[in-house]
Amino acid sequence: MDGGKAFPELGGAVAPPPGVPGLDIDPFSEAFFADPYPDHARLRDTAPFVWLIKYGIGAIARYEDVRKVLLDWETFSSARGVGMADFAKHGRFRLPSIILESDPPQHTRSRAVLNKTLSFLVMKSLRETFAAEADRMIDELVEKREFDGCAELAEAFPLRVFPDAIGMNREGRDNLLPYGDMVFNSFGPPNQRFLASATRAEAAFTWVETQAQRENLSPDGFGQICYQAADKGEVTHKEAAMLVRAILTAGVDTTVNGIGAVLFALARFPGEWRKLRENRSLARPAFEEAIRFESPVQTFFRTVTRPTTLDGHPLAEGDKILMFLGAANRDPLKWENPDTFDIERPVAGHVGFGVGIHACVGQLLARLEGEVVLDAMARKIGTIEVTGEPERRFNNTLRGLKKLPLRVTAV
Ligand code: 4IA
């Protein structure tokens, strides 16, 4: 199979290999983003392995298959990029990440350092500050009554707590969101959406590299843990900077869209909001269920390293495979009533944070942020209602909103 000659802007449609059903779905189009669920169902229902004609790329959307590919890192590599572009054929748009875009043994070294940097103990040290900030922010919003759940909460909260926690200085933090938007767009095809975001974020590129340097991080932020590991020889100091860059890249848009997802879901499912108010210990499960339900990170690619098969179809070295995490998280073969937001369901095993060696290394941080926001809301807010049309933010990888007009009442 030739998964390579495939960018639409560079060549047009590619017929499927014999026996693989071809679909005319474009998972990087606004029509798809506006309502991906009918197409997710077509992707899952047609066959375990389907072909996206527009891009000339094989895809999987069923839970079992997505899980299997995520777990088999030796056959399905990340080192040639986890986006559509194959570093070996199409070049790279930034210096490859030594955690996301790497395989063992490099990945193992990087991961060990990030595991320490984002450990349970580090999260424990952040909890009090994060919770106090969530309380303060929710008090202010309750006072205000009407606000934009995106700008004033889902974006504001991570931007408030995360840069401080890692130890960034104050200047230029407004680069973080455009930078993330660009990187997450870069995992899709080189479409207009990506090009526009790259133009918007041009200056953010060097800014992020600079922010990741040791001398620009405060001594008590958790970013220093990467450099302390370098002092001990676990990685080089240059690698430590790359790992801090990774945290800066991966840590904002993801949690913004995770918090956005749970706000939007709770506003649409008042019964679930009631359950949360009555039982605050559901804050963490509610956030987790929102990650399953919305899957803020919708898709990733892998590159085949050696001859193998998917659903009996031969794959060759160099083939790219697209995995639909969002579709897997709503696969009816795995989930009961998958399209229902249910904060009491058994949600373990969802692939919203991935699974296997590349499973989200920041998931404890994400959950901490989600939990303290929901806990503060459950204590302070009586009712939540959507007062206007929510607006989606379109991104080649991320699913989320840019506007969510809300009205809340105090308890
Ligand atoms: C990096 C998957 C996503 C959260 C992510 C994005 C960028 C990086 C890592 C993870 O730059 O290393």
Side-chain angles (χ1 to χ4, degrees):
M1 253 176 248
D2 185 0
K5 62 179 172 205
F7 292 145
E9 286 82 353
L10 309 179
V14 184
V20 181
L23 293 173
D24 60 359
I25 291 170
D26 180 356
F28 304 101
S29 65
E30 282 193 16
F32 184 92
F33 297 149
D35 183 13
Y37 301 112
D39 283 333
H40 280 172
R42 264 177 80 205
L43 289 159
R44 282 188 309 256
D45 294 348
T46 301
F49 183 60
V50 297
W51 187 257
L52 298 178
I53 294 163
K54 172 160 184 177
Y55 297 106
I57 277 182
I60 53 177
R62 295 186 187 180
Y63 176 82
E64 281 310 326
D65 299 300
V66 167
R67 200 180 139 78
K68 194 180 101 190
V69 167
L70 282 170
L71 287 170
D72 186 0
W73 57 267
E74 287 174 288
T75 312
F76 301 99
S77 163
S78 293
R80 282 159 72 168
V82 297
M84 185 180 283
D86 180 348
F87 292 169
K89 296 180 192 157
H90 305 115
R92 342 168 137 166
F93 123 92
R94 55 170 195 159
L95 209 57
S97 164
I98 59 169
I99 181 75
L100 180 72
E101 295 154 339
S102 76
D103 292 336
Q106 167 67 263
H107 175 269
T108 315
R109 282 196 299 276
S110 304
R111 179 78 190 204
V113 172
L114 286 183
N115 279 343
K116 273 193 207 170
T117 308
L118 297 159
S119 73
F120 175 79
L121 277 175
V122 174
M123 296 311 117
K124 206 171 145 185
S125 75
L126 299 174
R127 174 175 285 267
E128 211 177 289
T129 316
F130 279 30
E133 196 50 52
D135 274 28
R136 202 196 54 78
M137 209 170 261
I138 298 300
D139 280 339
E140 225 177 81
L141 294 173
V142 168
E143 184 98 354
K144 226 177 149 185
R145 296 196 53 210
E146 293 196 22
F147 59 92
D148 178 0
C150 288
E152 294 176 84
L153 184 51
E155 291 172 13
F157 184 73
L159 285 174
R160 185 83 281 257
V161 298
F162 171 83
D164 282 349
I166 190 166
M168 295 174 74
N169 60 38
R170 304 227 147 246
E171 287 88 69
R173 290 180 179 189
D174 53 337
N175 280 307
L176 283 169
L177 284 176
Y179 179 74
D181 186 51
M182 161 182 69
V183 170
F184 284 95
N185 272 327
S186 78
F187 299 134
N191 52 17
Q192 266 317 111
R193 180 173 311 104
F194 165 62
L195 297 174
S197 67
T199 306
R200 274 196 301 275
E202 221 180 295
F205 243 101
T206 44
W207 175 82
V208 167
E209 307 275 343
T210 308
Q211 292 313 303
Q213 299 305 312
R214 189 174 210 167
E215 61 272 23
N216 293 323
L217 295 166
S218 92
D220 51 359
F222 69 73
Q224 289 294 350
I225 299 173
C226 292
Y227 285 101
Q228 287 153 7
D231 293 341
K232 289 191 233 148
E234 295 168 30
V235 288
T236 67
H237 286 85
K238 216 169 143 192
E239 286 174 323
M242 301 279 306
L243 293 173
V244 174
R245 185 194 77 164
I247 301 173
L248 295 180
T249 310
V252 185
D253 301 64
T254 47
T255 51
V256 164
N257 287 297
I259 295 169
V262 78
L263 289 181
F264 191 31
L266 288 169
R268 277 175 296 167
F269 292 83
E272 301 310 289
W273 167 244
R274 224 169 294 125
K275 280 195 224 162
L276 174 62
R277 277 195 64 203
E278 283 160 16
N279 179 3
R280 277 163 45 214
S281 73
L282 289 170
R284 231 169 146 88
F287 183 71
E288 205 67 29
E289 167 67 349
I291 300 303
R292 181 200 69 82
F293 187 69
E294 283 292 323
S295 300
V297 174
Q298 284 275 302
T299 45
F300 268 126
F301 295 78
R302 291 289 187 262
T303 312
V304 174
T305 58
R306 56 192 181 191
T308 186
T309 58
L310 264 181
D311 190 32
H313 300 289
L315 298 177
E317 188 275 332
D319 287 345
K320 277 269 178 184
I321 301 296
L322 173 54
M323 306 175 291
F324 284 91
L325 309 181
N329 278 339
R330 287 177 177 234
D331 181 351
L333 294 174
K334 163 71 181 172
W335 308 99
E336 241 172 76
N337 302 320
D339 299 323
T340 303
F341 177 70
D342 174 1
I343 68 174
E344 290 180 302
R345 78 160 66 235
V347 70
H350 76 78
V351 290
F353 287 123
V355 65
I357 66 167
H358 287 280
C360 179
V361 71
Q363 58 185 286
L364 297 181
L365 181 61
R367 290 197 187 108
L368 173 63
E369 288 186 23
E371 183 188 349
V372 296
V373 168
L374 292 178
D375 187 77
M377 287 174 65
R379 277 180 286 114
K380 295 165 185 289
I381 293 176
T383 59
I384 308 178
E385 134 198 44
V386 181
T387 57
E389 205 48 49
E391 281 174 41
R392 287 223 157 265
R393 167 166 286 131
F394 297 124
N395 181 284
N396 286 337
T397 301
L398 296 168
R399 177 166 180 75
L401 302 173
K402 68 173 172 208
K403 197 167 154 215
L404 178 61
L406 294 178
R407 181 187 301 128
V408 298
T409 58
V411 285

